Amino acid sequence: MTAGTQGTAEDGFRGWREAAREALYGPDGFYRRPGAGPAGHFRTSVHASPLYARAVARLLCRVDEALGRPPALDFVDMAAGRGELVTGVLGALPADVSARVRPYAVELAARPPGLDDRIVWRDEPPEGVTGLLFANEWLDNVPVDVAEADASGIPRYVLVRADGAERLGHPVAGPDADWLERWWPLPPEEGLRAEIGLPRDRAWTAAVGTLTRGAAVAVDYAHAVGTRPPFGTLTAFREGRETAPVPDGSRDLTAHVALDACAAAPALPGAPRLLTQRNALRALGVTGGRPPLSLASSDPAGYVRALAAAGEAAELTAQGGLGDFGWLVQPVGVGDVLTG
């Protein structure tokens, strides 16, 4: 932790990165609490439709083909929640692939009851992965510090108490300042904010580093340099509703991800690819096209099922919604797994 982010023990103020880490992942943190887990507080693509897990299963099959169908094929579900995605992927795989897959769920919370015995539950990803590492809405929960321009236009760390009260701390310095200058330069206007994404770049680089061969994919709310929001994106969710970001452990704390910065980390191999979820899912066969009306006469029940699936696909790929999520696809020793 950079010293300049710190408040004092007496006043209870500290940098947002430290405060959010404790609120999310501390002993009584949001992600360690029993119960429904994240699905009880916010809805992701995983929860929106089983089509999402099926698309990820198709992606895993493409990675399998690119790897030459190895005897053991790893699937690593980062920030696995209660295991919803990895369970859906296992259920959607062809039998010949399912027989070779080694599924891992990476999550700090305790393993939920009733999970498939094949799933290895871990608090960090395994090393030497040959297959697919998939991180759906993980990076947005990697805590970051917040910077705000003061009255002189100087970016300073924003300090926060557990009750959400804020004040400005020391000027941003060192690697954090370098990151801001390159990826989120703040104009010298009082009150403008940025989230310093360097911890996410490092977390993504470390996750990709666990792969021997295959692909890593990060899916998240995202923005790009030149179009960063002027006041940042830090927010919170509790019981299905957006609420004030207060680091008290009672709510999810999240901020959009500078995926372009993650993709440019110097230690990454290969050629990363950035695209929208809309385009990624279309490449994986999720189109949202309505079934032909003639099916309503020949197979009414089939028509209703196909219509429901089309509605779910439309939600997953909708502009202004889930379809605008960013996908960062990082190959490791393979080609482009989203073509074909």
Side-chain angles (χ1 to χ4, degrees):
M1 175 66 65
T2 303
T5 67
Q6 301 293 339
T8 67
E10 291 75 20
D11 64 18
F13 283 94
R14 51 187 172 168
W16 259 108
R17 184 183 177 197
E18 181 183 352
R21 184 167 52 222
E22 179 69 19
L24 293 176
Y25 307 116
D28 298 315
F30 177 81
Y31 279 103
R32 291 188 182 272
R33 296 187 175 191
H41 296 268
F42 53 88
R43 191 165 180 259
T44 73
S45 296
V46 175
H47 309 121
S49 171
L51 294 176
Y52 192 76
R54 293 173 199 163
V56 177
R58 285 193 286 274
L59 179 58
L60 179 59
C61 289
R62 291 190 182 184
V63 172
D64 183 42
E65 290 294 332
L67 292 169
R69 298 174 57 82
L73 177 68
D74 297 319
F75 176 68
V76 181
D77 179 11
M78 294 290 294
R82 297 299 182 264
E84 299 95 337
L85 178 61
V86 65
T87 298
V89 168
L90 286 176
L93 289 173
D96 64 312
V97 179
S98 180
R100 292 181 288 112
V101 76
R102 296 187 299 196
Y104 297 90
V106 181
E107 179 60 65
L108 292 178
R111 182 188 181 99
L115 204 64
D116 191 313
D117 290 340
R118 292 177 293 171
I119 299 172
V120 179
W121 195 266
R122 298 173 56 102
D123 60 5
E124 58 184 22
E127 295 290 335
V129 170
T130 298
L132 174 64
L133 180 145
F134 198 87
N136 184 74
E137 295 196 41
W138 167 53
L139 287 173
D140 68 291
N141 288 130
V142 173
V144 294
D145 276 311
V146 178
E148 181 178 316
D150 67 11
S152 300
I154 297 171
R156 292 180 177 269
Y157 292 105
V158 177
L159 309 183
V160 64
R161 283 193 320 224
D163 63 2
E166 292 182 336
R167 68 173 174 83
L168 296 186
H170 293 294
V172 178
D176 286 348
D178 295 339
W179 190 94
L180 275 185
E181 183 178 2
R182 179 179 180 187
W183 294 110
W184 199 331
L186 279 176
E189 181 179 334
E190 184 177 8
L192 296 186
R193 284 194 171 198
E195 290 113 22
I196 304 171
L198 185 59
R200 292 170 173 177
D201 298 355
R202 291 170 174 167
W204 179 241
T205 299
V208 173
T210 65
L211 270 75
T212 300
R213 289 183 69 220
V217 178
V219 182
D220 238 308
Y221 303 95
H223 45 56
V225 67
T227 59
R228 309 283 191 215
F231 300 103
T233 61
L234 180 65
T235 190
F237 290 89
R238 181 170 60 187
E239 297 177 355
R241 295 187 178 186
E242 189 170 8
T243 186
V246 177
D248 61 0
S250 71
R251 64 202 75 193
D252 177 47
L253 297 168
T254 177
H256 294 198
V257 182
L259 280 180
D260 51 348
C262 295
L268 293 178
R273 182 177 177 188
L274 281 168
L275 65 166
T276 64
Q277 175 157 296
R278 178 182 180 88
N279 290 334
L281 290 184
R282 283 183 168 181
L284 293 168
V286 180
T287 63
R290 293 172 63 89
L293 191 58
S294 59
L295 186 64
S297 300
S298 61
D299 182 5
Y303 177 77
V304 171
R305 288 194 299 271
L307 195 63
E312 293 173 4
E315 181 183 3
L316 289 172
T317 59
Q319 291 183 327
L322 294 175
D324 290 344
F325 272 49
W327 278 48
L328 168 54
V329 183
Q330 178 67 58
V332 179
V334 298
D336 186 351
V337 291
L338 276 178
T339 59

mmCIF file of all heavy atoms in Angstrom, residues 14 20 25 32 47-48 83 86 107 135 170 175 182 191 204 214 231 264 289 305:
data_model
loop_
_atom_site.group_PDB
_atom_site.id
_atom_site.type_symbol
_atom_site.label_atom_id
_atom_site.label_comp_id
_atom_site.label_asym_id
_atom_site.label_seq_id
_atom_site.Cartn_x
_atom_site.Cartn_y
_atom_site.Cartn_z
ATOM 1 N N ARG A 14 -8.891 5.703 5.511
ATOM 2 C CA ARG A 14 -7.861 4.951 4.783
ATOM 3 C C ARG A 14 -8.204 4.967 3.304
ATOM 4 O O ARG A 14 -9.315 5.332 2.911
ATOM 5 C CB ARG A 14 -7.766 3.521 5.308
ATOM 6 C CG ARG A 14 -9.094 2.784 5.374
ATOM 7 C CD ARG A 14 -8.927 1.443 6.059
ATOM 8 N NE ARG A 14 -10.215 0.805 6.301
ATOM 9 C CZ ARG A 14 -10.352 -0.467 6.676
ATOM 10 N NH1 ARG A 14 -9.274 -1.221 6.866
ATOM 11 N NH2 ARG A 14 -11.536 -0.984 6.896
ATOM 12 N N ALA A 20 -11.963 -1.242 0.771
ATOM 13 C CA ALA A 20 -12.786 -2.167 -0.003
ATOM 14 C C ALA A 20 -12.318 -3.607 0.167
ATOM 15 O O ALA A 20 -13.134 -4.539 0.228
ATOM 16 C CB ALA A 20 -12.763 -1.777 -1.480
ATOM 17 N N TYR A 25 -13.495 -8.815 1.411
ATOM 18 C CA TYR A 25 -12.803 -10.094 1.587
ATOM 19 C C TYR A 25 -12.263 -10.328 2.992
ATOM 20 O O TYR A 25 -11.616 -11.347 3.234
ATOM 21 C CB TYR A 25 -11.640 -10.186 0.581
ATOM 22 C CG TYR A 25 -12.086 -9.935 -0.838
ATOM 23 C CD1 TYR A 25 -11.607 -8.837 -1.563
ATOM 24 C CD2 TYR A 25 -12.994 -10.783 -1.463
ATOM 25 C CE1 TYR A 25 -12.019 -8.595 -2.862
ATOM 26 C CE2 TYR A 25 -13.418 -10.544 -2.764
ATOM 27 C CZ TYR A 25 -12.925 -9.454 -3.459
ATOM 28 O OH TYR A 25 -13.353 -9.232 -4.738
ATOM 29 N N ARG A 32 -17.531 -13.313 1.930
ATOM 30 C CA ARG A 32 -17.336 -14.458 2.826
ATOM 31 C C ARG A 32 -18.600 -14.812 3.598
ATOM 32 O O ARG A 32 -18.626 -15.782 4.346
ATOM 33 C CB ARG A 32 -16.196 -14.165 3.802
ATOM 34 C CG ARG A 32 -14.822 -14.115 3.150
ATOM 35 C CD ARG A 32 -13.733 -14.024 4.191
ATOM 36 N NE ARG A 32 -12.411 -13.929 3.623
ATOM 37 C CZ ARG A 32 -11.641 -14.971 3.301
ATOM 38 N NH1 ARG A 32 -12.103 -16.207 3.479
ATOM 39 N NH2 ARG A 32 -10.434 -14.794 2.798
ATOM 40 N N HIS A 47 -26.362 -15.462 -14.328
ATOM 41 C CA HIS A 47 -27.684 -15.648 -13.734
ATOM 42 C C HIS A 47 -28.801 -15.312 -14.712
ATOM 43 O O HIS A 47 -29.950 -15.738 -14.517
ATOM 44 C CB HIS A 47 -27.824 -14.774 -12.490
ATOM 45 C CG HIS A 47 -26.697 -14.916 -11.525
ATOM 46 N ND1 HIS A 47 -25.902 -13.859 -11.148
ATOM 47 C CD2 HIS A 47 -26.186 -16.005 -10.888
ATOM 48 C CE1 HIS A 47 -24.974 -14.283 -10.302
ATOM 49 N NE2 HIS A 47 -25.116 -15.576 -10.139
ATOM 50 N N ALA A 48 -28.483 -14.553 -15.767
ATOM 51 C CA ALA A 48 -29.511 -14.103 -16.697
ATOM 52 C C ALA A 48 -30.054 -15.244 -17.545
ATOM 53 O O ALA A 48 -31.252 -15.280 -17.859
ATOM 54 C CB ALA A 48 -28.973 -13.001 -17.598
ATOM 55 N N GLY A 83 -20.716 -21.306 -7.637
ATOM 56 C CA GLY A 83 -20.437 -22.370 -8.608
ATOM 57 C C GLY A 83 -21.433 -22.464 -9.738
ATOM 58 O O GLY A 83 -21.482 -23.477 -10.443
ATOM 59 N N VAL A 86 -19.521 -22.732 -13.467
ATOM 60 C CA VAL A 86 -18.811 -23.992 -13.693
ATOM 61 C C VAL A 86 -19.792 -25.160 -13.739
ATOM 62 O O VAL A 86 -19.626 -26.092 -14.542
ATOM 63 C CB VAL A 86 -17.715 -24.201 -12.622
ATOM 64 C CG1 VAL A 86 -18.297 -24.375 -11.229
ATOM 65 C CG2 VAL A 86 -16.826 -25.388 -12.981
ATOM 66 N N GLU A 107 -12.773 -19.141 -5.460
ATOM 67 C CA GLU A 107 -13.664 -18.282 -4.679
ATOM 68 C C GLU A 107 -13.218 -18.301 -3.225
ATOM 69 O O GLU A 107 -12.793 -19.351 -2.720
ATOM 70 C CB GLU A 107 -15.115 -18.784 -4.801
ATOM 71 C CG GLU A 107 -16.136 -18.002 -4.028
ATOM 72 C CD GLU A 107 -16.200 -16.539 -4.451
ATOM 73 O OE1 GLU A 107 -16.587 -16.262 -5.608
ATOM 74 O OE2 GLU A 107 -15.849 -15.689 -3.607
ATOM 75 N N ALA A 135 -12.960 -15.449 -16.298
ATOM 76 C CA ALA A 135 -13.179 -14.540 -15.171
ATOM 77 C C ALA A 135 -14.358 -13.630 -15.477
ATOM 78 O O ALA A 135 -14.206 -12.568 -16.081
ATOM 79 C CB ALA A 135 -11.925 -13.717 -14.899
ATOM 80 N N HIS A 170 -2.980 12.381 0.569
ATOM 81 C CA HIS A 170 -1.772 12.872 -0.089
ATOM 82 C C HIS A 170 -1.906 12.815 -1.618
ATOM 83 O O HIS A 170 -2.717 12.050 -2.157
ATOM 84 C CB HIS A 170 -0.566 12.039 0.342
ATOM 85 C CG HIS A 170 -0.207 12.214 1.780
ATOM 86 N ND1 HIS A 170 0.265 13.398 2.284
ATOM 87 C CD2 HIS A 170 -0.240 11.344 2.823
ATOM 88 C CE1 HIS A 170 0.515 13.263 3.574
ATOM 89 N NE2 HIS A 170 0.207 12.024 3.930
ATOM 90 N N PRO A 175 4.186 4.577 -8.937
ATOM 91 C CA PRO A 175 3.557 3.817 -10.022
ATOM 92 C C PRO A 175 2.088 4.183 -10.237
ATOM 93 O O PRO A 175 1.596 4.135 -11.367
ATOM 94 C CB PRO A 175 3.722 2.359 -9.577
ATOM 95 C CG PRO A 175 4.913 2.372 -8.678
ATOM 96 C CD PRO A 175 4.866 3.689 -7.973
ATOM 97 N N ARG A 182 -0.839 7.645 -17.886
ATOM 98 C CA ARG A 182 -0.973 6.910 -19.147
ATOM 99 C C ARG A 182 -2.413 6.519 -19.448
ATOM 100 O O ARG A 182 -2.869 6.646 -20.588
ATOM 101 C CB ARG A 182 -0.100 5.645 -19.114
ATOM 102 C CG ARG A 182 -0.221 4.825 -20.394
ATOM 103 C CD ARG A 182 0.650 3.592 -20.389
ATOM 104 N NE ARG A 182 0.493 2.841 -21.638
ATOM 105 C CZ ARG A 182 1.034 1.656 -21.865
ATOM 106 N NH1 ARG A 182 1.807 1.084 -20.935
ATOM 107 N NH2 ARG A 182 0.834 1.040 -23.021
ATOM 108 N N GLY A 191 -12.642 18.083 -8.331
ATOM 109 C CA GLY A 191 -13.746 17.135 -8.195
ATOM 110 C C GLY A 191 -13.744 15.996 -9.192
ATOM 111 O O GLY A 191 -14.471 15.010 -8.993
ATOM 112 N N TRP A 204 -4.634 -9.448 -13.272
ATOM 113 C CA TRP A 204 -4.875 -10.120 -14.547
ATOM 114 C C TRP A 204 -3.601 -10.786 -15.059
ATOM 115 O O TRP A 204 -3.624 -11.925 -15.525
ATOM 116 C CB TRP A 204 -5.417 -9.135 -15.569
ATOM 117 C CG TRP A 204 -5.665 -9.745 -16.917
ATOM 118 C CD1 TRP A 204 -5.080 -9.407 -18.095
ATOM 119 C CD2 TRP A 204 -6.576 -10.813 -17.215
ATOM 120 N NE1 TRP A 204 -5.558 -10.189 -19.111
ATOM 121 C CE2 TRP A 204 -6.482 -11.070 -18.604
ATOM 122 C CE3 TRP A 204 -7.450 -11.571 -16.450
ATOM 123 C CZ2 TRP A 204 -7.231 -12.048 -19.230
ATOM 124 C CZ3 TRP A 204 -8.207 -12.560 -17.080
ATOM 125 C CH2 TRP A 204 -8.091 -12.788 -18.456
ATOM 126 N N GLY A 214 -3.404 -22.322 -23.632
ATOM 127 C CA GLY A 214 -4.851 -22.176 -23.646
ATOM 128 C C GLY A 214 -5.256 -20.730 -23.820
ATOM 129 O O GLY A 214 -4.659 -19.994 -24.601
ATOM 130 N N PHE A 231 -16.222 11.272 -13.415
ATOM 131 C CA PHE A 231 -16.316 11.192 -11.958
ATOM 132 C C PHE A 231 -16.145 9.754 -11.445
ATOM 133 O O PHE A 231 -16.519 9.436 -10.328
ATOM 134 C CB PHE A 231 -17.643 11.782 -11.474
ATOM 135 C CG PHE A 231 -17.804 13.218 -11.854
ATOM 136 C CD1 PHE A 231 -18.622 13.585 -12.908
ATOM 137 C CD2 PHE A 231 -17.103 14.217 -11.187
ATOM 138 C CE1 PHE A 231 -18.757 14.918 -13.281
ATOM 139 C CE2 PHE A 231 -17.231 15.548 -11.543
ATOM 140 C CZ PHE A 231 -18.056 15.896 -12.597
ATOM 141 N N ALA A 264 -2.748 -4.362 -22.014
ATOM 142 C CA ALA A 264 -1.437 -3.846 -22.402
ATOM 143 C C ALA A 264 -0.339 -4.159 -21.412
ATOM 144 O O ALA A 264 0.785 -3.690 -21.582
ATOM 145 C CB ALA A 264 -1.520 -2.335 -22.604
ATOM 146 N N GLY A 289 -31.886 -14.348 -32.463
ATOM 147 C CA GLY A 289 -32.855 -14.384 -33.552
ATOM 148 C C GLY A 289 -34.145 -15.087 -33.152
ATOM 149 O O GLY A 289 -34.122 -16.101 -32.440
ATOM 150 N N ARG A 305 -40.364 -22.503 -26.341
ATOM 151 C CA ARG A 305 -38.999 -22.625 -25.796
ATOM 152 C C ARG A 305 -38.006 -21.799 -26.598
ATOM 153 O O ARG A 305 -37.144 -21.108 -26.043
ATOM 154 C CB ARG A 305 -38.579 -24.098 -25.790
ATOM 155 C CG ARG A 305 -39.289 -24.951 -24.742
ATOM 156 C CD ARG A 305 -38.588 -26.287 -24.574
ATOM 157 N NE ARG A 305 -38.577 -27.054 -25.815
ATOM 158 C CZ ARG A 305 -39.542 -27.904 -26.176
ATOM 159 N NH1 ARG A 305 -40.601 -28.089 -25.390
ATOM 160 N NH2 ARG A 305 -39.455 -28.575 -27.311
#
